[in-house]
Amino acid sequence: TVLDYKAAPQFSTDEKPAPYDAITTYNNFYEFGTGKQDPSRYASEMSVDPWSVEVEGECANPGKYALEGLLKPHQYQERIYRLRCVEAWSMVIPWVGVPLAEVIKRLEPNSDAKFVYFETLNAPEQMRGQRSLFSTIDWPYREGLRMDEAMNELSFLAVGLYGKTLPNQNGAPIRLVVPWKYGFKSIKSIVRIRFMKEQPKSSWEMIAPSEYGFYANVNPEVDHPRWSQKMERRLPSGVFRPNWIETEKFNGYGEQVAGLYKGMDLSRYY
Amino acid sequence: MASAVTNKWRGIAGKCLVFGLALLPLGFLVADIINANLGPDPGQVITEALGIAAFQLLLVTLAITPLKKVTGWSGWLRYRRMLGLFAFFYAALHLLAFLQLILGWMDLWATFTKRPYIIAGAAAFLAMVPLAITSTRRMMKRTGRWWKPLHRLIYPAAILAWVHFLWQARSDITEMVVYAVILAGLLVVRARWFGVSSLVPLKRT
């Protein structure tokens, strides 16, 4: 469906967005398989309507929210963000959604809420990747943000892409977008939001803590143990046009987010 | 006499068939490149496809001896060298594609010294180089009794290639497990038939 939104140029890059096809056929969504094309092939097996989000933990308004109820009071915006995958590729994507901070404010977290935790749908009968015998992910997929990160003006809940409802493979019906962090932080198909005192463990941190930290800020100065993060391939690329560009710290969003990490050693808190 | 001629033609036809089959992965890839059918990140797809083709051909090469033993037909041996050379050919293309399309020839030193999965892949490739070089009849003669122990390097090459593959897994290792079962099977039957020492490279037996 076509969405009603207004552009948010102050939060948008003027780089050229990747074509719709590229954004919707090249995805990491391991619930549907580990191949880049698996999600576009199999994500239609997931049913996203009706959808509800369980809100729990340190807040005044916990409960089960129908998706519409969670979003309705807010005006949709379009934000064109860079997305940098930890695998050293990147795309420019025109999201439609609402600022995460606006939604969080309505849920009224209390003063004990230091972190926000998110969970993806756990439904093996709809998600073939969750049925795989040799997957090392302990489903459901989990992610989390520090409260101040979640309240940052860039943190976004996306429900659309190119002005239309999100396709399932891109994390329908509602997903997180935190553009200064590696893509895996931007958890898809969210069914649970929990406000917590303690720092939650994210899925990749559980699988390989030496490779993936809780923060996962885009940082060319800190290599992934298996590859360098200094450069990225901006997709779509071509066989004779690899499109290498230099990776920027915080994916180029340092102006908005560098303050969050003042005094932190980012090679330790990677 | 007539049957000898027929056999010769049969042999040539068989080799042409195997040659054509071994070229199929490359053919599909070239067709996909021409039709722009590889998605937004063709470099990655090409590199992976070439690597998988190399590994699969290594396994097929390793299957020749068991095939001969099981079927009792020694004709399989005719195709072994060609299959092994194709495995090397795909491995070389895979390496080139990685350097050109994934790495852009940047950061070479760090890549080949610090990244375990790259080191395993590079070691597998290096182990295959002497096998390719000594694959001709003349080199077979020149290496003499060393040829066989030398060519047992294919075992560590295949194992390293598998490790190279496994270490790239991020969460789901189903595919790697399937290949592990095949590779282990191919090695175990050899150990049972010819003894464990028949698997040790560079050891004269």
Side-chain angles (χ1 to χ4, degrees):
Chain A
T1 14
V2 178
L3 299 169
D4 183 23
Y5 62 89
K6 66 174 204 289
Q10 69 277 30
F11 296 114
S12 295
T13 167
D14 46 21
E15 291 156 283
K16 192 170 173 268
Y20 185 81
D21 262 9
I23 298 172
T24 56
T25 60
Y26 190 88
N27 308 97
N28 281 327
F29 197 168
Y30 284 6
E31 279 80 348
F32 299 105
T34 55
K36 291 283 185 288
Q37 295 195 332
D38 288 340
S40 60
R41 283 191 195 123
Y42 306 121
S44 59
E45 293 166 9
M46 169 174 70
S47 105
V48 298
D49 189 20
W51 190 272
S52 57
V53 178
E54 193 84 48
V55 175
E56 50 192 40
E58 307 292 336
C59 68
N61 300 317
K64 195 168 186 164
Y65 288 78
L67 182 67
E68 301 71 34
L70 197 66
L71 296 169
K72 203 159 194 183
H74 308 287
Q75 154 98 61
Y76 289 149
Q77 307 179 3
E78 182 183 66
R79 296 186 174 191
I80 305 169
Y81 278 164
R82 291 178 290 273
L83 178 119
R84 168 62 156 81
C85 179
V86 72
E87 299 165 339
W89 55 266
S90 64
M91 282 194 201
V92 175
I93 303 180
W95 302 108
V96 175
V98 301
L100 176 61
E102 284 186 16
V103 174
I104 287 182
K105 273 180 206 149
R106 271 182 49 234
L107 302 174
E108 293 183 43
N110 61 38
S111 58
D112 276 339
K114 306 286 187 235
F115 295 90
V116 196
Y117 163 89
F118 302 89
E119 245 176 51
T120 298
L121 178 67
N122 186 14
E125 71 287 353
Q126 300 174 41
M127 300 172 128
R128 58 177 64 209
Q130 291 181 339
R131 300 199 291 268
S132 170
L133 288 177
F134 298 101
S135 172
T136 52
I137 298 180
D138 183 12
W139 311 106
Y141 190 76
R142 304 142 212 233
E143 261 308 340
L145 295 172
R146 220 168 56 189
M147 206 59 195
D148 57 344
E149 296 178 317
M151 297 306 284
N152 186 274
E153 58 184 3
L154 288 178
S155 297
F156 200 59
L157 283 172
V159 296
L161 176 65
Y162 268 109
K164 290 182 290 188
T165 314
L166 271 184
N168 284 5
Q169 60 267 37
N170 293 87
I174 183 166
R175 67 167 293 168
L176 182 66
V177 182
V178 272
W180 71 96
K181 293 174 179 287
Y182 292 121
F184 66 85
K185 290 295 286 184
S186 293
I187 185 169
K188 300 186 174 91
S189 305
I190 296 168
V191 293
R192 190 182 306 280
I193 298 176
R194 184 186 300 148
F195 296 99
M196 296 173 72
K197 272 185 221 169
E198 313 284 333
Q199 180 173 313
K201 275 230 184 287
S202 66
S203 285
W204 284 106
E205 208 186 345
M206 289 162 71
I207 296 168
S210 63
E211 300 192 353
Y212 310 98
F214 175 79
Y215 286 96
N217 291 318
V218 175
N219 191 347
E221 295 148 30
V222 178
D223 282 354
H224 185 281
R226 290 188 265 173
W227 56 84
S228 160
Q229 297 288 25
K230 290 190 189 71
M231 310 285 285
E232 66 202 50
R233 279 168 301 129
R234 175 58 57 84
L235 305 185
S237 67
V239 178
F240 303 105
R241 187 180 48 89
N243 263 3
W244 281 102
I245 56 174
E246 282 188 26
T247 291
E248 287 185 67
K249 198 162 184 176
F250 299 118
N251 203 19
Y253 295 100
E255 208 179 299
Q256 292 96 326
V257 302
L260 295 169
Y261 311 103
K262 215 178 275 165
M264 279 175 70
D265 176 2
L266 293 179
S267 62
R268 205 174 139 219
Y269 297 100
Y270 52 89
Chain B
M1 199 59 200
S3 84
V5 171
T6 325
N7 269 344
K8 190 182 162 198
W9 282 109
R10 243 187 230 157
I12 290 172
K15 278 196 175 166
C16 287
L17 180 69
V18 173
F19 192 88
L21 285 175
L23 273 177
L24 276 183
L26 185 64
F28 285 131
L29 210 47
V30 170
D32 278 341
I33 292 170
I34 292 169
N35 297 323
N37 211 7
L38 296 175
D41 196 6
Q44 186 74 29
V45 179
I46 291 167
T47 307
E48 278 175 17
L50 291 169
I52 288 287
F55 183 50
Q56 288 174 340
L57 276 157
L58 262 185
L59 294 180
V60 173
T61 309
L62 281 174
I64 293 292
T65 298
L67 271 174
K68 179 195 141 201
K69 182 104 173 154
V70 169
T71 62
W73 185 55
S74 60
W76 295 109
L77 291 179
R78 253 183 246 156
Y79 310 115
R80 190 167 59 180
R81 169 165 59 185
M82 191 197 284
L83 289 165
L85 282 170
F86 264 114
F88 179 71
F89 169 70
Y90 280 106
L93 288 181
H94 167 66
L95 175 63
L96 276 177
F98 172 70
L99 291 170
Q100 169 68 26
L101 304 173
I102 305 295
L103 224 48
W105 302 90
M106 292 175 293
D107 231 7
L108 289 180
W109 179 252
T111 302
F112 284 95
T113 54
K114 284 197 343 210
R115 322 262 177 238
Y117 86 96
I118 302 281
I119 295 169
F125 181 75
L126 287 178
M128 291 167 78
V129 171
L131 310 193
I133 292 173
T134 58
S135 66
T136 63
R137 218 166 280 257
R138 226 178 84 196
M139 287 304 283
M140 271 179 96
K141 270 208 189 102
R142 279 181 61 176
T143 45
R145 283 192 301 167
W146 278 105
W147 192 86
K148 204 170 175 181
L150 178 68
H151 277 248
R152 287 193 203 117
L153 279 173
I154 190 173
Y155 306 135
I159 293 167
L160 284 163
W162 180 79
V163 168
H164 169 65
F165 189 36
L166 178 74
W167 273 347
Q168 287 170 77
R170 277 177 296 275
S171 73
D172 196 309
I173 55 166
T174 309
E175 230 183 317
M176 291 74 170
V177 171
V178 171
Y179 283 115
V181 169
I182 296 171
L183 179 58
L186 291 170
L187 296 179
V188 165
V189 293
R190 281 180 167 76
R192 294 208 40 190
W193 289 332
F194 315 116
V196 174
S197 66
S198 74
L199 293 173
V200 183
L202 304 176
K203 183 182 163 223
R204 297 256 298 264
T205 42

